[in-house]
């Protein structure tokens, strides 16, 4: 099963780990908050779903959240057209129940979309060559994790909840700037440029 570079870039499959210590707006490490959230939820694992052998659809992104026990995968279907990109998105809850939907990325508004739409949108950026996995899909996953940590109850934000991703990214950029992480600030500014297209 392909996980599109997650292992190759040093990011574990069962959670998100940054390459250096990240600080949230409260000043605590993100890793510490994520560990506390996992402990509070009583869960320690999640199943990473991927290849859809029944249909032959191609997995372009798969992610699992340890805190919620959920998993999401974005697929290019057999009739995928890069000129009119519509992705199949499957979401598994902690009980293994799956929901499936089609996401037309031309209709995704990063200022008001859910996680499934954002992952399809950023997967399309990667697939069309506009950005690397780290610059697109992974940034969306980290933005969701940061928002979860800020809420201190990641179970309250599910994959179908609409949110303003541009605001989340701007908040992360401000945090990076405040901590003097100008390299990180510029990396997030690049991602913001993808959302403001």
């Amino acid at each position: 099963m392909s996980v599109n570079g997650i292992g190759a870039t040093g990011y574990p499959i069962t959670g998100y780990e940054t390459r250096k210590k990240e600080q949230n707006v409260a000043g605590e490490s993100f890793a510490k908050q994520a560990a506390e959230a996992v402990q509070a939820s009583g869960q320690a694992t999640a199943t990473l779903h991927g290849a859809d052998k029944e249909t032959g659809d191609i997995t372009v992104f798969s992610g699992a959240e340890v805190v919620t026990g959920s998993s999401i995968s974005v697929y290019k279907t057999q009739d995928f057209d890069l000129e009119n990109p519509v992705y199949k998105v499957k979401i598994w809850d902690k009980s293994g129940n799956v929901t499936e939907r089609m996401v037309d990325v031309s209709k995704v508004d990063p200022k008001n979309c859910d996680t499934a739409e954002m992952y399809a949108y950023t997967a399309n950026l990667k697939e069309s060559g506009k950005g690397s996995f780290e610059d697109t899909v992974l940034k969306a996953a980290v933005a969701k994790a940061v928002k979860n940590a800020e809420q201190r109850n990641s179970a309250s934000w599910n994959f179908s909840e609409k949110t303003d991703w541009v605001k989340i990214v701007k908040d992360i950029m401000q945090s990076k700037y405040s901590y003097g992480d100008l390299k990180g600030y510029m990396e997030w500014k690049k991602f913001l440029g993808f959302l403001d297209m």
Side-chain angles (χ1 to χ4, degrees), residues 85-137:
V86 177
Y87 291 86
K88 179 171 74 173
V89 180
K90 292 174 89 172
I91 301 166
W92 290 264
D93 66 16
K94 64 183 175 184
S95 301
N97 301 315
V98 63
T99 57
E100 180 180 314
R101 63 190 253 213
M102 302 303 286
V103 176
D104 180 346
V105 296
S106 70
K107 296 178 180 170
V108 174
D109 176 7
K111 291 183 179 180
N112 184 33
C113 68
D114 62 31
T115 304
E117 292 167 325
M118 180 52 61
Y119 285 172
Y121 181 86
T122 55
N124 186 62
L125 290 169
K126 178 185 75 79
E127 290 296 304
S128 64
K130 294 178 181 167
S132 68
F133 175 79
E134 291 83 3
D135 291 338
T136 59
V137 181

